[in-house]
Amino acid sequence: MLPFTICPVGDTAVLARFEQRIAPDIGASVTALNLRVAAAKIHGVVETVPAFASLLVFYDPLQTDYDAVASAVQALAQTSDGGALAGQGRLVEIPVCYGGSFGPDLPFVAKHAGLSEQEVIARHAGREYRIYMLGFLPGFPYLGGLDERLFTPRLDTPRTVIPAGSVGIGGEQTGVYPIASPGGWQLIGRTPLTLFDPGTGKLPYAAGDRIRFCPISEAEFEAIAQKEARG
């Protein structure tokens, strides 16, 4: 695990801060520390929030204090887990219908990259993406690992409504909108999966996991959508 520093955040949280850069090794270290904190069941800790290069650990000040939690988190950096908590995360496959009405910005992304639309799809679906953090919307995954040829500027004027399940590119990142929302990313496809359930708050992935997008046809999209609607 890479080194980190510890500092207080108010009177109810500890921040483990790694080198401030977005990179796979930093993301893996954040994930590994998050897993270790969860496994350690530190007295008084109530929640963790992983981000690109840090882990925020909330605690109940009526049960513990900053010094105790900070010491426990720092000690976990030296813990040997035999590779069990290496920070790789689960691999989650998400079906995506690219282009057409599901991905209206695919032609622009292809033109900007100097590629055909099929080449954009192949490059986008041809690798795994690490979920560095969740934010902006409930369950919105900020993904690292986008092919540099696909880096595309955000829209000059954001859309007021983006359908749930839309997959987009914003600058050097790609992600998927779990619920309908305004947004300015270039939309290249959509998944028929229901990613976020407001009733339960459940998601099929978490920060630290990996996502692979799997191309599907419109017919497959409709079949999966109907199955999702039936529950």
Side-chain angles (χ1 to χ4, degrees), residues 30-107:
V30 172
T31 299
L33 182 60
N34 190 36
L35 292 171
R36 291 182 184 187
V37 170
K41 300 186 184 302
I42 301 169
H43 177 69
V45 168
V46 295
E47 184 181 8
T48 59
V49 181
F52 284 110
S54 64
L55 179 68
L56 187 61
V57 181
F58 285 98
Y59 59 87
D60 182 348
L62 298 179
Q63 298 186 44
T64 187
D65 58 25
Y66 168 78
D67 290 336
V69 176
S71 296
V73 172
Q74 190 68 67
L76 292 174
Q78 311 303 322
T79 302
S80 175
D81 51 40
L85 302 179
Q88 290 303 307
R90 299 171 299 158
L91 176 60
V92 179
E93 294 187 343
I94 296 180
V96 176
C97 186
Y98 287 92
S101 61
F102 296 128
D105 300 320
L106 180 60

Side-chain angles (χ1 to χ4, degrees), residues 4-231:
F4 58 87
T5 58
I6 292 280
C7 64
V9 178
D11 60 357
T12 60
V14 167
L15 182 68
R17 191 171 186 271
F18 292 83
E19 182 182 349
Q20 295 299 286
R21 58 187 174 89
I22 300 174
D25 58 343
I26 296 290
S29 290
V30 172
T31 299
L33 182 60
N34 190 36
L35 292 171
R36 291 182 184 187
V37 170
K41 300 186 184 302
I42 301 169
H43 177 69
V45 168
V46 295
E47 184 181 8
T48 59
V49 181
F52 284 110
S54 64
L55 179 68
L56 187 61
V57 181
F58 285 98
Y59 59 87
D60 182 348
L62 298 179
Q63 298 186 44
T64 187
D65 58 25
Y66 168 78
D67 290 336
V69 176
S71 296
V73 172
Q74 190 68 67
L76 292 174
Q78 311 303 322
T79 302
S80 175
D81 51 40
L85 302 179
Q88 290 303 307
R90 299 171 299 158
L91 176 60
V92 179
E93 294 187 343
I94 296 180
V96 176
C97 186
Y98 287 92
S101 61
F102 296 128
D105 300 320
L106 180 60
F108 176 80
V109 172
K111 182 178 180 180
H112 184 270
L115 301 169
S116 70
E117 293 182 20
Q118 286 303 315
E119 287 173 325
V120 170
I121 294 170
R123 285 173 179 260
H124 188 263
R127 56 178 58 195
E128 296 175 5
Y129 301 92
R130 173 178 290 279
I131 304 176
Y132 281 105
M133 61 180 288
L134 303 177
F136 168 56
L137 296 170
F140 186 98
Y142 285 89
L143 306 178
L146 182 66
D147 188 312
E148 291 184 5
R149 288 288 297 273
L150 303 185
F151 290 0
T152 312
R154 292 168 172 78
L155 298 174
D156 292 333
T157 302
R159 292 180 171 91
T160 56
V161 179
I162 290 177
S166 294
V167 175
I169 292 175
E172 300 179 6
Q173 291 185 293
T174 187
V176 54
Y177 290 78
I179 60 176
S181 164
W185 288 27
Q186 305 280 354
L187 304 183
I188 61 173
R190 193 185 309 167
T191 179
L193 298 182
T194 301
L195 297 178
F196 177 71
D197 181 352
T200 64
K202 291 183 178 180
L203 290 164
Y205 48 71
D209 288 342
R210 294 163 294 137
I211 283 179
R212 178 182 288 276
F213 296 110
C214 304
I216 59 173
S217 66
E218 290 190 24
E220 290 172 314
F221 182 100
E222 295 301 332
I224 297 173
Q226 291 178 14
K227 183 177 179 180
E228 290 285 293
R230 293 193 298 267

